[in-house]
Amino acid sequence: MPTGANLACCGRSEYGEIILKLTPLAKGFISVIIVAVIGIVLWSKFGGAAKEWAHAGPDKSANPNASSTPLSKDDFAALGSATDADRKKRVDGIGSVSVGQGRLNRPLVVGINTWAGHSPGIVANSGFAANTRGSIYKEKYGLAVEFKIFEDPAAKLAAFVSGQMDIMWDTVDSWAREASTLAEQNVKGKAIIQQDWSRGGDGIASLKSIGSMEALKGKRIATTRYTPSHWLLLYLLNQSGLSPDDKKDIEKNLVFVNEAPLAAAAFRSKQVDAAVTWEPDLSGCVQARGNEAHVLVSTAAATNVIADTLVARQQIVDNYPETLRDFVHGWFDGIDAMAKDPAGSNEVVAKSLKLSADDVSGMLAGLKLTPFADNALFFGLGSNVRPQFVSLFDTAFVVWRKQGVISKVVDAKDAMDSRFVASAADSYAGQKVVDDFKIDATKKMDPSKQRAIVNKQISIHFVTGSDKIMEGSFFTLDALGDTMIAFGNTVLSIEGHTDNTGSAETNRVLSKARAEAVRKYLVDNFNIPDKRFKTTGFGSDKPIAPNTTEDGRMQNRRTEIKVILNVE
C-alpha cells in the first residue's frame, strides 16, 4: 500500500527546520482533498435547495424533519373510518344548540380565493362588499360581511395571524398542516362549516397511455408541494397496487412547481407525463394535448378526499359566537338561494370573482356544495361514528408529519367547532344527504369505456374449502372499506381465484362464494350499497404462476381488486 514517502520527501534547512518538499502528485492529491472538503460544506448547506431547484423531490437534507419511514396505505386508513352516509335516513334527532352571546360591531372579514365553492356566502351577501342592498346577511340577520381575495396561502395565513381577516378559506388537509403552524405561534382557529366536497374539481391529467395509478411508475409528474394536489396524489398512490419501492421512486422524482396552474402548464407544454391540478386548469391542459391526453382520475371518483372548509380565528369564536352563528345560517340560506335562481346566482359570483358565468358554472359542476345535512354528517352531529372531519384531519396530519412539514401536535377535535352548524338544526329537520351517483355494477361492463384506476391483489384468508373469512383478514377488509368510501363514485370489482387443486367447477363455485363474502362484509360493515360491487369467481382459470409448486399454488389463491371508474 502506498505511503507518504511516495508523495513527498523531507529535507532540512540551514536553520535546522524540517522542510516538506511536495512532489506534483502530492500537490494534486491535496488539491483534491481541499475541493472535496469545500464541496461537502457547500452541499450540507445548500444541497437541499439544489435538489429542489433540480426538481429531485424532497429529501432529508431539504427537509430534515421528514420521517425515514415511507408513507403506506395504513397511514390513510382513518380517511374512511366514518361509515358511508345512509341516504335513506333524514337528519333527525339533532337539536339546535345555543352558542352563547357576543356580536361583532364591525364587518366580519372573510378571506377567500377564486373558487366557486365560496358561492353560497357571496350570494347571501349579494357580492363582496358589506351591507350591499339585497344581502341576506344584512336584511335577515343584521350582519355586515366583507369578502376579500387572498390567493396566496402564505399571505392568507399571515393575514389570519395578524387579525386582518376573521375567517379564512382552507381544505381540511391543508388545515391540518396550517393548524400546527399556527400552534407554533400560539395562534388558534376552528373549522366552523364545510363548504363543499371536491367532486371533479381536482385531479390528475395524464397521457392516455397511462390508464391507471400503477401505470404512473417511471413517469414524470408535476404538482405543488404540500397542497391539496399533493395530498390527493399521495392518497391515490397509496391506494394503488404499486410496491413501496415504486411509490418511493415516484415521490422522489416528482416535479414540484409553485402553483397548481404551473403544473398544468408543464403538462400542456409536454414537459411532464402527468400533472396534478384543479379546475379550470385540469380540463384546460387535457384539451391542449388533444387526443393524446385524458383525466386519469379526479375527485369525481375519489369523492371524499378533498373537503373545503372555513376556519374562524379563536378570538372570534370565543367573543362573537352570535356573529358566527348568523354567518353559518346565512351560508345555508345562500345554498337555498342558488337552488332557486342558478343563473342569477352565477352572475353575482362571476362579477365578484371576475370570472365569466360559464367559468363559475364549470367550477360548480366539479364540486358538491354541502348544506346542513352534509355538514351534520361531516362534523358527526347526532352520531356515534367518527366524524368525517376528524378522519380527514387526522389522516392529513400523519401524512404531513411524515413529510416533515409539521411537528406541533394538534388534535382534530380542537381544530373544529360544530356548534354553529348544530345551531341551525331546527331549521333543517328532515333534510337528507343526497349524492346522485348513477352506479349499477349489474349492467354489463364495456371494457372499452371503463377503466380500473386501481389494480391490486390483497391477501384474504378463508377457512380451507370454505367461504368463511378468517379473522386475520378483517384489517385488510376494513382498509378496503375505507377505500370504497373515499372513492364514492366507483364500482369495486372483486375477482376470486384458486389453484388447480380439485375440480374446475368446484373451484369456480368456491371462488365466486369467496368474492361474495368480501362484498357482504363491506356492505354490512360500511353501509356501501350492493350496486357498487361486481363479483366474479374465476376458479383456477387465470393462474399467475405455475401450479406445479406450493409457492406457485399459493400465488394463484388470490383475490384481485379493481376500483373501476363510474365516470370518465
Side-chain angles (χ1 to χ4, degrees), residues 309-353:
T309 187
L310 290 174
V311 177
R313 294 176 67 237
Q314 191 65 48
Q315 181 188 11
I316 304 298
V317 172
D318 293 339
N319 298 327
Y320 310 111
E322 289 179 285
T323 295
L324 292 183
R325 178 199 62 195
D326 292 346
F327 174 75
V328 168
H329 289 202
W331 192 278
F332 292 146
D333 290 339
I335 294 177
D336 295 338
M338 291 177 66
K340 293 175 182 177
D341 183 12
S345 298
N346 287 355
E347 289 291 346
V348 172
V349 176
K351 182 179 179 181
S352 300
L353 294 178

Side-chain angles (χ1 to χ4, degrees), residues 424-445:
D426 288 348
S427 300
Y428 296 98
Q431 192 179 79
K432 295 181 181 179
V433 174
V434 178
D435 276 324
D436 188 20
F437 301 144
K438 294 179 174 62
I439 300 174
D440 188 356
T442 62
K443 293 181 180 178
K444 185 176 180 180
M445 293 185 177

Side-chain angles (χ1 to χ4, degrees), residues 415-432:
M416 58 169 264
D417 194 328
S418 61
R419 293 177 300 153
F420 306 105
V421 169
S423 67
D426 288 348
S427 300
Y428 296 98
Q431 192 179 79
K432 295 181 181 179

Side-chain angles (χ1 to χ4, degrees), residues 112-127:
I112 62 173
N113 60 347
T114 306
W115 178 242
H118 309 303
S119 295
I122 297 172
V123 170
N125 203 46
S126 195

